[in-house]
């Protein structure tokens, strides 16, 4: 049986039909620019791409197009469960959940924590429930993996009432990716995940590192929102918490303007003045562009500093894992980070680092602290988790509770 994986954003839906056991993809695709005249649905199946123009399509029309494609490929009746990516589960969800009214209520309750993402995720779930009424649906939360963080890692040093009354604490994101690459790294290291202390670095448009002890997250660099921590494509990462106040007074900027700039005009884009795309910046830096060079240097320095800081969360360090578009593809970033982490026993094997291009593999010299590249696969992780939730639920439905016979004396 296949699992349909859905990642619903405000104007797009990424989807894939996957075998949770093997990772085989029957189809994948993207409904993009939803709500605009340019809306379209792109489905890739067996190397063939089908583009359906769907002007002004909403989720319902996008799912109708997906359904007709599933029907055409005779896949519709082979799908057993739908897995949804949901960004914020707050403190309510520490594991994936079979969606019912209470789970929807929980996702709604987390909207203040993710005002852009959770409403889109909810709208996607509700449209999917209407499009696939016969299928169970599972929510897989970006934050859930990090709910295992100890209080010392998740609390901010702010008034306690902010925490108790408004949930002001660190949550962390990219949990699905960190969990997946930790599992894969254990497989590549040939050791049980339960015995490993890992630092995983998810470096894409958004970037975060996580400290993972025995398969559970014990710290991560993102916080209340995905703005905290590392330098990212267009996000600043850590800045002085007084910045809003300073810019309000000095530049007459509103809260909203500063927040928007920290999210969309900062990071690699802000530093370089050129763009947010690491590939483009590497080319420009090689051509002598000073802003691009500085952006990459700050990105690398802050990343290395964060990785070193994460070691405070672990008793020892067995391996560092790179993933995400930059982590998987930029040998230059990996080399520069490793060269800043010699104190932790890392040493780069230049040839191995160049050879992992597009695949996973080890990039350190023999005898150094292992560093490896793992290609992330969030869709597969969502498919696996959805299938596991469904199996656990079916099991609990079919296994009748075994009632112990009442003791003699209590019957009389
Ligand atoms: P993601 O969000 O995981 O898709 O990652 C996007 C980031 O990966 C962008 O900054 C891309 O420029 C970067 N990226 C993708 N391919 C490469 C590459 N070959 N070299 C350097 N960066 C890359």
């Amino acid at each position: 049986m296949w699992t349909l994986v859905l990642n619903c954003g405000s104007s797009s839906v990424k989807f894939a039909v996957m075998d949770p056991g093997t990772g085989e993809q029957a189809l994948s695709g993207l409904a993009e620019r939803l709500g605009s005249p340019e809306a379209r649905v792109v489905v890739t199946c067996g190397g063939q791409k089908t583009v359906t123009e769907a002007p002004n399509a909403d989720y319902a029309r996008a799912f109708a197009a997906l359904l007709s494609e599933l029907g055409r490929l005779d896949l519709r009746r082979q799908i057993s469960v739908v897995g949804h990516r949901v960004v914020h589960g707050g403190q309510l969800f520490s594991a994936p959940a079979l969606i019912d009214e209470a789970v929807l209520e929980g996702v709604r309750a987390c909207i203040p924590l993710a005002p852009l993402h959770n409403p889109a995720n909810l709208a996607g779930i509700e449209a999917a429930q209407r499009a696939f009424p016969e299928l169970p649906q599972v929510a897989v939360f970006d934050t859930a993996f990090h709910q295992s963080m100890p209080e010392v890692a998740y609390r901010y040093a702010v008034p306690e009432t902010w925490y108790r009354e408004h949930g002001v604490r660190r949550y962390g994101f990219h949990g699905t990716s960190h969990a997946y690459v930790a599992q894969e790294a254990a497989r590549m290291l040939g050791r049980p995940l339960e015995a490993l202390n890992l630092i995983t670095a998810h470096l894409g448009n958004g970037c975060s590192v996580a400290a993972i002890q025995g398969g559970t997250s014990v710290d991560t660099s993102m916080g209340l929102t995905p703005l905290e921590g590392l330098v990212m494509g267009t996000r600043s990462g850590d800045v002085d918490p007084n910045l809003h106040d300073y810019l309000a007074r000095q530049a007459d900027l509103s809260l909203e303007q500063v927040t928007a700039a920290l999210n969309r005009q900062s990071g690699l884009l802000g530093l370089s003045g050129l763009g947010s795309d690491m590939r483009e910046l590497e080319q420009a830096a090689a051509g002598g562009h000073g802003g691009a060079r500085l952006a990459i240097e700050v990105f690398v320095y802050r990343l290395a500093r964060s990785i070193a800081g994460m070691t405070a969360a672990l008793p020892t360090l067995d391996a560092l894992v790179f993933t995400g578009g930059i982590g998987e593809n930029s040998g230059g970033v990996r080399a520069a980070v490793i060269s800043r982490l010699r104190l932790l026993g890392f040493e780069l094997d230049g040839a191995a680092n160049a050879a992992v291009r597009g695949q996973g593999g080890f990039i350190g010299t023999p005898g150094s602290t292992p560093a490896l590249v793992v290609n992330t696969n969030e869709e597969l992780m969502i498919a696996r988790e959805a299938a596991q939730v469904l199996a656990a639920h079916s099991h609990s439905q079919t296994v009748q509770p075994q009632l112990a016979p009442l003791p003699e004396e209590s019957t009389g």
Side-chain angles (χ1 to χ4, degrees), residues 15-380:
F15 50 83
V17 175
M18 306 193 76
D19 179 328
T22 64
E24 186 193 343
Q25 278 200 6
L27 68 76
S28 64
L30 174 70
E32 58 184 345
R33 293 178 230 153
L34 295 176
S36 81
E38 293 83 36
R40 59 187 203 153
V41 182
V42 183
V43 178
T44 306
C45 178
Q48 290 271 62
K49 208 180 204 184
T50 320
V51 180
T52 311
E53 300 297 336
N56 303 312
D58 55 5
Y59 288 128
R61 288 222 6 238
F63 289 146
L66 173 59
L67 267 170
S68 90
E69 198 62 15
L70 292 173
R72 196 177 68 76
L73 298 165
D74 209 15
L75 277 170
R76 179 156 187 194
R77 263 168 291 142
Q78 297 176 53
I79 295 174
S80 58
V81 59
V82 183
H84 290 266
R85 176 181 181 224
V86 179
V87 167
H88 220 307
Q91 299 196 97
L92 297 173
F93 298 101
S94 57
L98 188 67
I99 296 174
D100 57 15
E101 204 33 60
V103 169
L104 288 177
E105 200 42 56
V107 176
R108 250 175 242 128
C110 295
I111 287 177
L113 291 166
L116 298 179
H117 291 102
N118 272 30
N121 299 154
L122 262 175
I125 291 170
E126 284 164 353
Q129 285 178 321
R130 285 191 290 274
F132 309 95
E134 73 287 10
L135 291 179
Q137 319 233 352
V138 173
V140 179
F141 300 90
D142 265 22
T143 49
F145 181 58
H146 301 299
Q147 278 293 299
S148 51
M149 282 196 287
E151 193 168 16
V152 69
Y154 73 68
R155 286 291 294 273
Y156 290 113
V158 295
E160 205 233 346
T161 49
W162 294 2
Y163 168 60
R164 262 192 293 105
E165 291 169 21
H166 304 292
V168 174
R169 52 158 283 179
R170 308 183 63 253
Y171 292 95
F173 299 85
H174 292 146
T176 309
S177 178
H178 288 294
Y180 177 81
V181 300
Q183 289 178 8
E184 284 297 292
R187 197 180 53 73
M188 289 162 71
L189 288 158
R191 294 177 58 190
L193 182 58
E194 296 70 33
L196 288 173
N197 294 287
L198 302 171
I199 293 179
T200 51
H202 177 104
L203 311 173
N205 284 318
C207 300
S208 66
V209 293
I212 301 176
Q213 182 175 10
T216 61
S217 172
V218 288
D219 200 358
T220 190
S221 59
M222 283 177 168
L224 175 72
T225 74
L227 187 58
E228 186 178 333
L230 305 175
V231 172
M232 312 182 209
T234 62
R235 281 174 251 167
S236 62
D238 293 340
V239 292
D240 189 311
N242 234 2
L243 189 59
H244 280 81
D245 177 74
Y246 178 81
L247 286 169
R249 284 184 286 106
Q250 292 297 313
D252 201 22
L253 295 181
S254 67
L255 274 181
E256 289 74 19
Q257 285 172 315
V258 178
T259 302
L262 291 175
N263 277 286
R264 296 203 284 273
Q265 287 146 29
S266 300
L268 293 171
L269 170 65
L271 279 163
S272 68
L274 188 66
S276 63
D277 187 295
M278 184 57 86
R279 227 171 336 190
E280 181 191 348
L281 294 183
E282 286 182 332
Q283 275 165 14
H289 191 287
R293 205 189 60 228
L294 176 70
I296 297 170
E297 281 175 1
V298 176
F299 179 91
V300 164
Y301 174 65
R302 293 264 300 266
L303 171 58
R305 210 178 63 170
S306 178
I307 291 168
M310 281 293 153
T311 61
L314 298 171
T316 177
L317 181 59
D318 294 305
L320 168 64
V321 183
F322 290 97
T323 193
I326 298 171
E328 292 166 27
N329 297 298
S330 174
V333 166
R334 291 192 303 260
V337 171
I338 295 278
S339 81
R340 283 194 174 271
L341 294 173
R342 284 199 206 95
L343 270 177
L344 297 178
F346 290 105
E347 189 178 43
L348 191 78
D349 176 333
N353 188 39
V356 293
R357 201 168 282 264
Q359 309 146 29
F362 289 86
I363 59 170
T365 55
S368 64
T369 309
L372 56 159
V373 178
V374 175
N375 290 350
T376 196
N377 193 337
E378 289 169 272
E379 289 84 10
L380 176 56

